[in-house]
Amino acid sequence: MDIKRILGLPDLLDVKKIVCVQPHPDDNEVGAAGTLYKLAQRGCEIVYITVTDGRGSGSTGATDPAEIVEIRRKERLAAGGIIGVSKHFTLDFPDMGDYTEQDILHKLIPIIRGEKPDMLLTVDPWMPYEAHPDHYKTGKAVAAAMLFSSNEILFPTSEPFAVPQIAFYATSHPNTYVDVTADWERKIASILAHKSQFDNLNWPMVKTYFDYEAGQLYGKLKQNHEAAGYAEAFKVLTSHQLHFFPAALYS
Ligand SMILES: [Zn+2]
């Protein structure tokens, strides 16, 4: 049973406005830049929310947290420019800070209600072995925001809005593949805009891995291991599948 079809919800590539919530300033590009660029080309409005300030990065060459935050802010804006991001919000939690999912949730709900997207995008917090607290806290907070942005009793301070769908990247249980072969160079350019994170001696190895992983996903998309191209993978769920819905894992 395809709940999305029953509800008449659009496919990922047909959404008109997407709010993309990333734990760190570079996660959206690594997870979804090809698809986001494709969406931007199709007229979709792309809004970024960045949860932490990225001050924990040891690879900028700076040691002053304020300086690191500023470097990463500029890189985030440059990468967003390459993809076609139209608006940026920052929640400004410190990288690996002592904040909770609830803290993120309370900041997310008014932004989501104001933006009224038809899809949210974020990291999959249920990826097995994901050990980074910024990642699993962010993914879970975004999923909770799906459930509660429509609840005016619990969150009475702004006008309720129900977001119908959510897509998770960095997922171990994808149900949606997007062919990004034509967008691959653009994706790589957007990742490299995060110079402090990627433009270093490790880049050839990292790039080889990105190419390999996206090539594997393309093989799954085409159901042919020998097909040559690049794909990104997502777990797309409706809000109905985010609570008391054991079959969500297999949908
Ligand atoms: Zn991250």
Side-chain angles (χ1 to χ4, degrees):
M1 186 171 64
D2 189 341
I3 291 176
K4 225 171 79 162
R5 291 273 171 271
I6 292 168
L7 296 172
L9 296 172
D11 288 333
L12 171 55
L13 288 180
D14 293 323
V15 299
K16 299 290 178 234
K17 182 164 185 174
I18 189 163
V19 168
C20 314
V21 189
Q22 57 183 351
H24 303 114
D26 55 355
D27 294 315
N28 283 342
E29 275 77 38
V30 175
T35 301
L36 291 175
Y37 179 63
K38 200 177 272 299
L39 280 168
Q41 298 301 104
R42 295 163 76 107
C44 177
E45 190 179 345
I46 296 170
V47 176
Y48 270 24
I49 303 177
T50 304
V51 172
T52 74
D53 57 16
R55 71 176 61 192
S57 170
S59 56
T60 63
T63 50
D64 173 23
E67 203 181 323
I68 297 170
V69 169
E70 179 57 14
I71 290 168
R72 301 205 65 189
R73 185 186 74 83
K74 286 185 181 149
E75 291 173 348
R76 169 171 53 79
L77 295 178
I82 292 169
I83 297 305
V85 176
S86 57
K87 202 191 281 186
H88 286 265
F89 293 89
T90 55
L91 304 190
D92 295 325
F93 290 109
D95 205 332
M96 271 301 288
D98 191 19
Y99 62 89
T100 66
E101 282 166 42
Q102 287 285 317
D103 297 332
I104 309 175
L105 177 63
H106 281 268
K107 285 195 176 189
L108 281 180
I109 282 188
I111 299 174
I112 290 168
R113 284 174 168 181
E115 292 301 315
K116 299 181 174 38
D118 43 5
M119 187 176 274
L120 295 174
L121 176 79
T122 191
V123 288
D124 189 338
W126 297 285
M127 180 178 77
Y129 312 113
E130 175 55 80
H132 201 307
D134 290 336
H135 277 238
Y136 56 74
K137 284 194 284 189
T138 294
K140 286 187 178 177
V142 178
M146 280 283 284
L147 296 183
F148 296 111
S149 63
S150 59
N151 188 315
E152 57 192 331
I153 310 292
L154 292 172
F155 295 89
T157 51
S158 50
E159 198 65 20
F161 177 77
V163 186
Q165 295 194 82
I166 186 165
F168 297 101
Y169 55 77
T171 182
S172 296
H173 301 282
N175 59 8
T176 303
Y177 296 88
V178 177
D179 180 352
V180 294
T181 309
D183 316 290
W184 192 246
E185 277 182 35
R186 179 71 64 150
K187 169 166 179 156
I188 294 300
S190 74
I191 291 173
L192 274 175
H194 297 279
K195 272 191 186 0
S196 69
Q197 307 301 300
F198 295 101
D199 193 3
N200 53 41
L201 289 175
N202 287 331
W203 173 246
M205 184 188 71
V206 172
K207 164 85 163 49
T208 299
Y209 178 71
F210 286 155
D211 289 350
Y212 169 77
E213 186 190 35
Q216 293 291 105
L217 294 174
Y218 187 79
K220 287 188 179 155
L221 168 67
K222 296 292 179 190
Q223 296 181 322
N224 172 5
H225 293 307
E226 296 186 358
Y230 302 105
E232 288 174 340
F234 302 91
K235 179 78 164 183
V236 180
L237 295 173
T238 68
S239 54
H240 304 271
Q241 292 163 293
L242 288 176
H243 179 53
F244 220 127
F245 203 102
L249 180 64
Y250 312 107
S251 61

